[in-house]
Amino acid sequence: MVDTASRSADAALVGAVEHDIREDAFPIKGWDHVRYYVGNARQAAHYYSTAFGMQLFAYRGPEQGFREHAEYALKSGGVTFVLAGGTTADSAASEHYARHGDGVIEVALEVPDVDKNYAHAIKQGAIAIEEPHDLTDEHGTVRRAVIGTYGETRNVLVDRSNYTGPFLPGFIAAEPMVTPPEKRFFQAIDHIVGNVELGKMREWVGYYERVMGFTNIVEFVEDAIATEYSALMSKVVANGNRKIKFPINEPAEGKKKSQIDEYLEFYGGPGVQHIALATSDILAAVDAMRERGVEFLEAPDAYYEDPEMRERIGTVRVPIEELQKRRVLVDRDEDGYMLQIFTKPQQDRPTMFYEIIERHGSLSFGKGNFKALFEALEKEQAKRGNL
Protein backbone atom coordinates (compact mmCIF):
# COMPACT_ATOMS: atom_id res chain seq x y z
CA MET A 1 0.00 0.00 0.00
CA VAL A 2 1.45 3.37 -1.05
CA ASP A 3 0.48 6.26 1.21
CA THR A 4 -0.67 9.68 -0.05
CA ALA A 5 2.62 11.37 0.81
CA SER A 6 4.56 8.80 -1.22
CA ARG A 7 2.20 9.21 -4.16
CA SER A 8 2.67 13.00 -4.02
CA ALA A 9 6.45 12.62 -3.92
CA ASP A 10 6.45 10.23 -6.88
CA ALA A 11 4.15 12.58 -8.83
CA ALA A 12 6.62 15.41 -8.31
CA LEU A 13 9.47 13.20 -9.49
CA VAL A 14 7.75 12.37 -12.78
CA GLY A 15 6.34 15.81 -13.54
CA ALA A 16 2.68 14.90 -13.06
CA VAL A 17 -0.07 17.51 -13.07
CA GLU A 18 -3.41 17.75 -11.31
CA HIS A 19 -5.99 15.75 -13.23
CA ASP A 20 -8.99 13.55 -12.43
CA ILE A 21 -8.56 10.34 -14.44
CA ARG A 22 -12.31 9.72 -14.15
CA GLU A 23 -12.65 12.33 -16.89
CA ASP A 24 -10.67 10.13 -19.29
CA ALA A 25 -12.17 7.66 -21.77
CA PHE A 26 -9.07 5.54 -21.12
CA PRO A 27 -8.20 6.13 -17.43
CA ILE A 28 -4.76 5.03 -16.20
CA LYS A 29 -3.75 4.88 -12.54
CA GLY A 30 -0.03 4.53 -13.26
CA TRP A 31 2.79 2.27 -14.43
CA ASP A 32 2.40 -1.34 -13.28
CA HIS A 33 5.55 -3.08 -14.54
CA VAL A 34 7.91 -3.48 -17.49
CA ARG A 35 8.54 -7.02 -18.75
CA TYR A 36 11.70 -7.94 -20.61
CA TYR A 37 12.69 -10.95 -22.67
CA VAL A 38 16.37 -11.65 -22.01
CA GLY A 39 18.95 -14.30 -22.86
CA ASN A 40 19.64 -15.33 -19.26
CA ALA A 41 17.07 -14.12 -16.73
CA ARG A 42 18.93 -15.33 -13.64
CA GLN A 43 22.09 -13.44 -14.60
CA ALA A 44 20.14 -10.37 -15.68
CA ALA A 45 18.33 -10.34 -12.33
CA HIS A 46 21.66 -10.48 -10.54
CA TYR A 47 22.97 -7.57 -12.66
CA TYR A 48 19.96 -5.35 -11.98
CA SER A 49 20.13 -6.26 -8.29
CA THR A 50 23.82 -5.43 -8.05
CA ALA A 51 24.34 -2.57 -10.49
CA PHE A 52 20.91 -0.89 -10.29
CA GLY A 53 20.24 -1.58 -6.61
CA MET A 54 16.94 -3.32 -7.34
CA GLN A 55 15.47 -5.98 -5.08
CA LEU A 56 14.23 -9.39 -6.20
CA PHE A 57 10.84 -10.00 -4.59
CA ALA A 58 9.01 -12.61 -6.69
CA TYR A 59 9.74 -15.53 -9.01
CA ARG A 60 7.83 -17.80 -11.38
CA GLY A 61 9.22 -20.68 -13.42
CA PRO A 62 9.21 -24.43 -14.08
CA GLU A 63 9.04 -25.11 -10.34
CA GLN A 64 5.59 -23.45 -10.29
CA GLY A 65 4.42 -25.23 -13.43
CA PHE A 66 5.42 -22.53 -15.94
CA ARG A 67 7.61 -24.71 -18.13
CA GLU A 68 8.77 -22.29 -20.84
CA HIS A 69 10.07 -19.30 -18.87
CA ALA A 70 11.87 -18.35 -15.70
CA GLU A 71 10.69 -14.91 -14.54
CA TYR A 72 12.31 -12.72 -11.90
CA ALA A 73 10.39 -9.68 -10.57
CA LEU A 74 12.52 -6.88 -9.13
CA LYS A 75 11.58 -3.53 -7.66
CA SER A 76 13.01 -0.18 -6.63
CA GLY A 77 10.39 2.07 -5.06
CA GLY A 78 7.54 2.20 -7.55
CA VAL A 79 9.57 0.65 -10.38
CA THR A 80 8.97 -3.03 -11.18
CA PHE A 81 10.93 -4.93 -13.82
CA VAL A 82 10.16 -8.54 -14.78
CA LEU A 83 13.05 -10.36 -16.43
CA ALA A 84 11.86 -13.41 -18.37
CA GLY A 85 14.20 -15.94 -19.95
CA GLY A 86 13.32 -18.96 -22.02
CA THR A 87 13.92 -22.43 -20.60
CA THR A 88 13.29 -24.03 -24.01
CA ALA A 89 14.64 -23.15 -27.44
CA ASP A 90 11.17 -22.52 -28.85
CA SER A 91 9.78 -20.43 -25.99
CA ALA A 92 8.54 -16.91 -26.76
CA ALA A 93 11.45 -15.38 -24.85
CA SER A 94 14.07 -17.50 -26.61
CA GLU A 95 12.72 -16.67 -30.06
CA HIS A 96 12.39 -12.96 -29.22
CA TYR A 97 15.93 -12.90 -27.86
CA ALA A 98 17.29 -14.52 -31.02
CA ARG A 99 15.75 -11.74 -33.12
CA HIS A 100 16.30 -8.73 -30.88
CA GLY A 101 18.66 -9.49 -28.02
CA ASP A 102 17.58 -8.35 -24.55
CA GLY A 103 14.60 -6.01 -24.83
CA VAL A 104 11.25 -4.86 -23.52
CA ILE A 105 8.27 -6.95 -24.58
CA GLU A 106 5.54 -5.47 -22.32
CA VAL A 107 4.83 -2.08 -20.80
CA ALA A 108 2.06 -2.75 -18.28
CA LEU A 109 -0.32 -0.02 -17.11
CA GLU A 110 -2.54 -0.20 -14.04
CA VAL A 111 -6.13 0.70 -14.90
CA PRO A 112 -9.33 0.79 -12.84
CA ASP A 113 -11.41 -1.21 -15.34
CA VAL A 114 -9.63 -3.47 -17.84
CA ASP A 115 -12.80 -4.32 -19.79
CA LYS A 116 -13.81 -0.68 -20.22
CA ASN A 117 -10.33 0.41 -21.33
CA TYR A 118 -9.95 -2.54 -23.70
CA ALA A 119 -13.36 -1.99 -25.28
CA HIS A 120 -12.58 1.68 -25.88
CA ALA A 121 -9.17 0.86 -27.34
CA ILE A 122 -10.51 -1.77 -29.75
CA LYS A 123 -13.34 0.53 -30.84
CA GLN A 124 -10.69 3.13 -31.69
CA GLY A 125 -8.68 0.69 -33.79
CA ALA A 126 -6.19 -0.77 -31.30
CA ILE A 127 -4.24 -3.90 -32.17
CA ALA A 128 -5.98 -6.72 -30.29
CA ILE A 129 -3.63 -9.31 -28.75
CA GLU A 130 -5.36 -10.68 -25.62
CA GLU A 131 -8.98 -10.02 -24.67
CA PRO A 132 -9.75 -9.30 -21.00
CA HIS A 133 -9.30 -12.41 -18.87
CA ASP A 134 -8.65 -13.42 -15.26
CA LEU A 135 -5.45 -14.81 -13.79
CA THR A 136 -6.20 -16.50 -10.47
CA ASP A 137 -4.42 -18.29 -7.65
CA GLU A 138 -4.90 -18.65 -3.90
CA HIS A 139 -4.19 -14.92 -3.40
CA GLY A 140 -7.02 -13.70 -5.61
CA THR A 141 -7.52 -12.51 -9.16
CA VAL A 142 -5.76 -10.13 -11.54
CA ARG A 143 -7.69 -8.94 -14.58
CA ARG A 144 -5.55 -8.48 -17.70
CA ALA A 145 -5.78 -7.58 -21.40
CA VAL A 146 -3.15 -6.80 -24.03
CA ILE A 147 -3.05 -4.44 -27.02
CA GLY A 148 -0.21 -3.99 -29.46
CA THR A 149 1.99 -1.03 -30.25
CA TYR A 150 5.15 -0.46 -32.33
CA GLY A 151 7.13 -3.54 -33.34
CA GLU A 152 6.52 -6.51 -31.06
CA THR A 153 6.03 -4.28 -28.01
CA ARG A 154 2.78 -4.66 -26.12
CA ASN A 155 0.80 -2.48 -23.73
CA VAL A 156 -0.72 -4.62 -20.98
CA LEU A 157 -3.76 -3.43 -19.02
CA VAL A 158 -3.80 -4.65 -15.43
CA ASP A 159 -6.30 -4.44 -12.57
CA ARG A 160 -4.83 -5.96 -9.41
CA SER A 161 -7.38 -4.50 -6.96
CA ASN A 162 -8.59 -8.02 -6.06
CA TYR A 163 -5.16 -9.57 -5.57
CA THR A 164 -2.98 -9.86 -2.46
CA GLY A 165 -0.13 -12.05 -3.69
CA PRO A 166 3.51 -11.02 -4.07
CA PHE A 167 3.14 -9.95 -7.71
CA LEU A 168 0.96 -11.87 -10.20
CA PRO A 169 -0.76 -15.27 -10.01
CA GLY A 170 1.79 -18.07 -10.13
CA PHE A 171 4.60 -15.98 -8.67
CA ILE A 172 6.00 -16.88 -5.28
CA ALA A 173 7.76 -14.54 -2.89
CA ALA A 174 11.55 -14.52 -3.32
CA GLU A 175 14.44 -13.29 -1.22
CA PRO A 176 16.80 -10.60 -2.59
CA MET A 177 19.78 -11.95 -4.54
CA VAL A 178 22.16 -9.49 -2.87
CA THR A 179 21.90 -7.17 0.11
CA PRO A 180 19.85 -4.16 -1.05
CA PRO A 181 21.48 -0.72 -0.79
CA GLU A 182 20.60 1.39 2.24
CA LYS A 183 19.02 3.99 -0.07
CA ARG A 184 17.42 3.07 -3.38
CA PHE A 185 18.94 4.67 -6.46
CA PHE A 186 15.61 5.52 -8.15
CA GLN A 187 11.96 5.20 -7.27
CA ALA A 188 9.66 5.87 -10.22
CA ILE A 189 9.42 5.62 -14.00
CA ASP A 190 9.41 9.06 -15.60
CA HIS A 191 8.92 8.09 -19.25
CA ILE A 192 9.51 5.24 -21.71
CA VAL A 193 10.90 6.04 -25.17
CA GLY A 194 10.22 4.10 -28.36
CA ASN A 195 12.18 4.10 -31.62
CA VAL A 196 10.24 3.58 -34.87
CA GLU A 197 11.10 3.55 -38.56
CA LEU A 198 11.42 6.63 -40.77
CA GLY A 199 7.97 8.02 -41.50
CA LYS A 200 6.22 6.05 -38.73
CA MET A 201 6.41 8.51 -35.80
CA ARG A 202 3.23 10.43 -36.64
CA GLU A 203 1.37 7.17 -37.22
CA TRP A 204 2.14 5.92 -33.71
CA VAL A 205 1.51 9.31 -32.13
CA GLY A 206 -1.92 9.26 -33.77
CA TYR A 207 -2.43 5.70 -32.52
CA TYR A 208 -1.91 6.73 -28.87
CA GLU A 209 -4.03 9.83 -29.31
CA ARG A 210 -6.89 7.80 -30.77
CA VAL A 211 -6.65 4.58 -28.77
CA MET A 212 -5.70 5.89 -25.33
CA GLY A 213 -6.78 9.52 -25.57
CA PHE A 214 -3.22 10.74 -25.07
CA THR A 215 -2.11 14.27 -25.97
CA ASN A 216 0.94 15.27 -28.01
CA ILE A 217 2.65 17.50 -25.42
CA VAL A 218 6.11 18.08 -26.97
CA GLU A 219 7.51 17.99 -30.49
CA PHE A 220 11.12 18.14 -31.69
CA VAL A 221 12.11 18.42 -35.36
CA GLU A 222 15.49 17.83 -37.02
CA ASP A 223 17.04 21.19 -36.11
CA ALA A 224 16.24 20.69 -32.43
CA ILE A 225 17.93 17.28 -32.13
CA ALA A 226 20.86 17.34 -34.52
CA THR A 227 24.61 17.51 -34.85
CA GLU A 228 26.86 17.93 -37.86
CA TYR A 229 26.37 14.25 -38.72
CA SER A 230 22.96 12.97 -37.64
CA ALA A 231 19.49 13.92 -36.48
CA LEU A 232 16.19 12.56 -35.25
CA MET A 233 12.61 13.72 -34.84
CA SER A 234 10.57 13.10 -31.72
CA LYS A 235 7.08 13.65 -30.35
CA VAL A 236 5.92 13.01 -26.79
CA VAL A 237 2.44 11.73 -25.99
CA ALA A 238 1.08 11.64 -22.44
CA ASN A 239 -2.07 10.81 -20.52
CA GLY A 240 -4.13 13.41 -18.69
CA ASN A 241 -2.12 13.59 -15.46
CA ARG A 242 1.21 13.35 -17.36
CA LYS A 243 2.36 10.37 -15.25
CA ILE A 244 2.47 8.17 -18.36
CA LYS A 245 4.69 9.68 -21.04
CA PHE A 246 5.76 7.98 -24.29
CA PRO A 247 8.29 9.88 -26.40
CA ILE A 248 8.43 8.35 -29.89
CA ASN A 249 11.52 8.86 -32.07
CA GLU A 250 12.17 8.34 -35.76
CA PRO A 251 15.41 8.93 -37.69
CA ALA A 252 15.90 12.03 -39.79
CA GLU A 253 18.16 12.43 -42.77
CA GLY A 254 21.78 13.29 -41.95
CA LYS A 255 25.29 12.89 -43.26
CA LYS A 256 25.79 9.69 -41.28
CA LYS A 257 23.79 7.01 -39.46
CA SER A 258 21.85 8.31 -36.46
CA GLN A 259 21.47 6.57 -33.11
CA ILE A 260 17.91 5.66 -34.15
CA ASP A 261 19.15 4.01 -37.35
CA GLU A 262 21.72 2.07 -35.32
CA TYR A 263 19.06 0.92 -32.86
CA LEU A 264 16.65 -0.22 -35.60
CA GLU A 265 19.42 -2.15 -37.33
CA PHE A 266 20.70 -3.98 -34.25
CA TYR A 267 17.33 -4.53 -32.58
CA GLY A 268 15.82 -5.72 -35.82
CA GLY A 269 12.98 -3.24 -35.89
CA PRO A 270 11.13 -0.78 -33.64
CA GLY A 271 11.11 -1.15 -29.87
CA VAL A 272 11.77 0.52 -26.52
CA GLN A 273 14.95 2.59 -26.72
CA HIS A 274 15.27 3.73 -23.12
CA ILE A 275 13.49 4.03 -19.80
CA ALA A 276 13.88 7.18 -17.71
CA LEU A 277 14.11 6.43 -13.99
CA ALA A 278 13.28 9.24 -11.58
CA THR A 279 15.43 9.84 -8.52
CA SER A 280 15.48 12.38 -5.70
CA ASP A 281 19.31 12.41 -5.58
CA ILE A 282 20.98 11.96 -8.95
CA LEU A 283 24.50 12.53 -7.63
CA ALA A 284 24.25 9.75 -5.07
CA ALA A 285 22.56 7.45 -7.61
CA VAL A 286 25.22 8.00 -10.27
CA ASP A 287 28.06 7.58 -7.77
CA ALA A 288 26.61 4.31 -6.48
CA MET A 289 25.80 2.91 -9.92
CA ARG A 290 29.23 3.79 -11.31
CA GLU A 291 30.84 2.08 -8.34
CA ARG A 292 28.83 -1.04 -9.26
CA GLY A 293 29.99 -1.01 -12.88
CA VAL A 294 27.31 0.97 -14.74
CA GLU A 295 28.84 3.05 -17.54
CA PHE A 296 27.41 6.45 -18.46
CA LEU A 297 27.74 8.68 -21.50
CA GLU A 298 30.11 11.57 -20.88
CA ALA A 299 29.34 15.12 -21.96
CA PRO A 300 32.41 17.21 -22.99
CA ASP A 301 33.97 19.78 -20.64
CA ALA A 302 32.97 22.52 -23.08
CA TYR A 303 29.32 21.86 -22.19
CA TYR A 304 29.85 22.84 -18.56
CA GLU A 305 32.21 25.73 -19.32
CA ASP A 306 29.90 27.45 -21.81
CA PRO A 307 29.02 30.87 -20.28
CA GLU A 308 25.70 31.03 -22.15
CA MET A 309 24.68 27.67 -20.72
CA ARG A 310 25.64 28.72 -17.20
CA GLU A 311 23.67 31.94 -17.51
CA ARG A 312 20.61 30.14 -18.88
CA ILE A 313 20.68 27.47 -16.16
CA GLY A 314 21.26 29.83 -13.25
CA THR A 315 21.42 28.39 -9.75
CA VAL A 316 20.65 24.70 -9.19
CA ARG A 317 20.84 22.66 -6.01
CA VAL A 318 24.48 21.62 -6.53
CA PRO A 319 27.47 23.48 -8.03
CA ILE A 320 27.99 23.02 -11.76
CA GLU A 321 31.44 21.66 -10.92
CA GLU A 322 29.85 18.71 -9.11
CA LEU A 323 27.67 17.99 -12.14
CA GLN A 324 30.71 18.23 -14.40
CA LYS A 325 32.62 15.80 -12.22
CA ARG A 326 29.88 13.20 -12.78
CA ARG A 327 28.94 14.33 -16.34
CA VAL A 328 25.35 15.02 -15.29
CA LEU A 329 23.43 17.29 -17.68
CA VAL A 330 21.20 20.17 -16.56
CA ASP A 331 18.39 22.03 -18.31
CA ARG A 332 15.86 24.68 -17.33
CA ASP A 333 12.45 25.70 -18.63
CA GLU A 334 9.72 28.08 -17.47
CA ASP A 335 8.61 25.62 -14.75
CA GLY A 336 11.99 24.84 -13.17
CA TYR A 337 15.04 22.73 -13.91
CA MET A 338 16.02 19.09 -14.28
CA LEU A 339 19.18 17.01 -14.02
CA GLN A 340 19.75 13.97 -16.24
CA ILE A 341 22.35 11.45 -17.36
CA PHE A 342 22.22 8.48 -19.74
CA THR A 343 23.82 5.07 -19.41
CA LYS A 344 25.53 3.28 -22.23
CA PRO A 345 23.59 0.30 -23.68
CA GLN A 346 23.05 -2.34 -21.01
CA GLN A 347 23.47 -5.36 -23.28
CA ASP A 348 25.89 -6.44 -26.00
CA ARG A 349 23.78 -5.05 -28.82
CA PRO A 350 23.86 -1.21 -28.95
CA THR A 351 20.15 -0.93 -28.29
CA MET A 352 18.41 -0.25 -24.98
CA PHE A 353 19.79 2.08 -22.29
CA TYR A 354 18.54 4.06 -19.28
CA GLU A 355 18.19 7.67 -18.23
CA ILE A 356 18.45 8.81 -14.62
CA ILE A 357 16.47 12.01 -14.09
CA GLU A 358 15.90 14.37 -11.17
CA ARG A 359 13.16 16.95 -11.68
CA HIS A 360 12.79 20.27 -9.87
CA GLY A 361 9.59 21.63 -11.37
CA SER A 362 10.66 21.19 -14.98
CA LEU A 363 8.29 19.25 -17.22
CA SER A 364 10.72 19.15 -20.14
CA PHE A 365 12.91 16.44 -21.65
CA GLY A 366 16.23 18.29 -21.69
CA LYS A 367 16.04 20.07 -25.05
CA GLY A 368 19.03 22.23 -24.11
CA ASN A 369 21.11 19.07 -23.68
CA PHE A 370 20.37 17.43 -27.02
CA LYS A 371 23.51 18.60 -28.80
CA ALA A 372 25.85 17.48 -25.98
CA LEU A 373 23.99 14.17 -25.67
CA PHE A 374 24.09 13.50 -29.40
CA GLU A 375 27.81 14.22 -29.57
CA ALA A 376 28.42 11.76 -26.72
CA LEU A 377 26.26 9.15 -28.45
CA GLU A 378 28.10 9.65 -31.74
CA LYS A 379 31.45 9.08 -30.02
CA GLU A 380 30.18 5.70 -28.85
CA GLN A 381 28.76 4.89 -32.28
CA ALA A 382 32.11 5.72 -33.85
CA LYS A 383 33.88 3.36 -31.44
CA ARG A 384 31.52 0.59 -32.58
CA GLY A 385 32.03 1.47 -36.24
CA ASN A 386 28.37 2.35 -36.71
CA LEU A 387 28.38 6.12 -37.25
Side-chain angles (χ1 to χ4, degrees):
M1 181 68 69
V2 179
D3 60 31
T4 304
S6 296
R7 287 189 182 276
S8 299
D10 286 350
L13 281 171
V14 300
V17 299
E18 289 293 328
H19 175 77
D20 187 346
I21 64 170
R22 291 175 297 182
E23 300 174 1
D24 298 336
F26 194 97
I28 302 174
K29 297 167 71 175
W31 306 102
D32 192 86
H33 65 275
V34 178
R35 188 167 184 252
Y36 300 71
Y37 279 158
V38 299
N40 188 320
R42 183 187 297 272
Q43 290 184 4
H46 196 285
Y47 176 78
Y48 280 97
S49 296
T50 304
F52 279 57
M54 301 188 77
Q55 183 174 331
L56 177 67
F57 71 97
Y59 169 81
R60 182 173 71 179
E63 301 89 339
Q64 288 73 45
F66 294 83
R67 305 295 301 172
E68 294 187 345
H69 297 102
E71 300 175 75
Y72 298 79
L74 299 94
K75 63 182 177 181
S76 177
V79 180
T80 300
F81 290 167
V82 182
L83 304 167
T87 57
T88 62
D90 58 352
S91 70
S94 297
E95 293 179 348
H96 188 274
Y97 176 76
R99 291 191 299 272
H100 305 292
D102 292 353
V104 170
I105 184 65
E106 295 178 350
V107 176
L109 306 171
E110 185 181 4
V111 301
D113 188 331
V114 169
D115 296 76
K116 178 181 176 181
N117 282 43
Y118 183 82
H120 173 82
I122 297 305
K123 184 178 180 180
Q124 297 300 319
I127 301 166
I129 295 181
E130 292 181 17
E131 294 185 352
H133 59 283
D134 289 338
L135 303 174
T136 302
D137 66 9
E138 68 272 21
H139 302 292
T141 298
V142 171
R143 189 76 169 161
R144 165 189 162 105
V146 184
I147 60 177
T149 180
Y150 46 77
E152 295 181 42
T153 316
R154 304 166 179 176
N155 286 141
V156 180
L157 312 178
V158 177
D159 176 8
R160 56 175 62 253
S161 59
N162 295 313
Y163 192 69
T164 60
F167 178 53
L168 291 172
F171 279 81
I172 61 170
E175 293 297 316
M177 284 185 158
V178 299
T179 302
E182 291 185 7
K183 180 182 179 182
R184 60 194 176 209
F185 306 156
F186 49 84
Q187 60 209 70
I189 293 176
D190 188 276
H191 57 272
I192 296 180
V193 183
N195 283 349
V196 300
E197 311 95 323
L198 179 65
K200 292 293 187 178
M201 175 186 67
R202 287 180 175 83
E203 177 182 323
W204 288 110
V205 167
Y207 180 85
Y208 277 104
E209 289 175 333
R210 186 177 69 255
V211 168
M212 294 189 180
F214 281 23
T215 302
N216 180 196
I217 61 171
V218 181
E219 181 172 338
F220 304 107
V221 296
E222 295 102 315
D223 292 343
I225 316 181
T227 68
E228 178 184 355
Y229 300 113
S230 66
L232 66 80
M233 294 184 288
S234 183
K235 290 189 175 187
V236 182
V237 292
N239 74 326
N241 61 17
R242 303 295 189 265
K243 288 183 69 175
I244 309 301
K245 296 182 284 288
F246 291 137
I248 301 175
N249 303 332
E250 74 173 21
E253 292 187 5
K255 294 180 181 179
K256 297 186 178 182
K257 185 184 299 183
S258 77
Q259 56 163 302
I260 311 303
D261 291 314
E262 182 189 44
Y263 175 97
L264 293 170
E265 177 182 339
F266 280 86
Y267 194 69
V272 171
Q273 179 211 49
H274 80 264
I275 298 177
L277 302 169
T279 180
S280 58
D281 189 344
I282 196 169
L283 301 190
V286 169
D287 287 347
M289 292 173 74
R290 269 207 179 101
E291 189 175 297
R292 288 160 173 77
V294 178
E295 295 183 312
F296 293 89
L297 295 176
E298 296 198 352
D301 286 326
Y303 167 84
Y304 302 94
E305 296 164 1
D306 180 1
E308 290 186 8
M309 187 278 283
R310 290 196 172 215
E311 182 178 357
R312 179 174 60 85
I313 296 305
T315 302
V316 296
R317 76 169 182 87
V318 293
I320 293 293
E321 290 75 17
E322 289 299 311
L323 301 179
Q324 182 175 3
K325 178 180 176 183
R326 296 166 175 84
R327 304 294 159 172
V328 170
L329 305 171
V330 56
D331 197 27
R332 183 180 289 276
D333 60 20
E334 62 273 13
D335 298 304
Y337 70 93
M338 47 92 76
L339 308 173
Q340 63 182 161
I341 192 170
F342 298 83
T343 73
K344 294 181 181 181
Q346 294 299 291
Q347 54 286 312
D348 292 327
R349 298 194 196 194
T351 51
M352 188 179 167
F353 56 90
Y354 292 88
E355 173 184 354
I356 308 299
I357 184 169
E358 179 185 324
R359 292 190 183 274
H360 292 271
S362 172
L363 303 177
S364 74
F365 294 83
K367 179 179 179 180
N369 297 328
F370 287 163
K371 184 175 178 60
L373 172 61
F374 252 52
E375 289 175 346
L377 283 165
E378 287 175 350
K379 286 182 180 179
E380 295 300 316
Q381 283 181 253
K383 290 178 184 177
R384 294 188 290 264
N386 296 328
L387 182 60

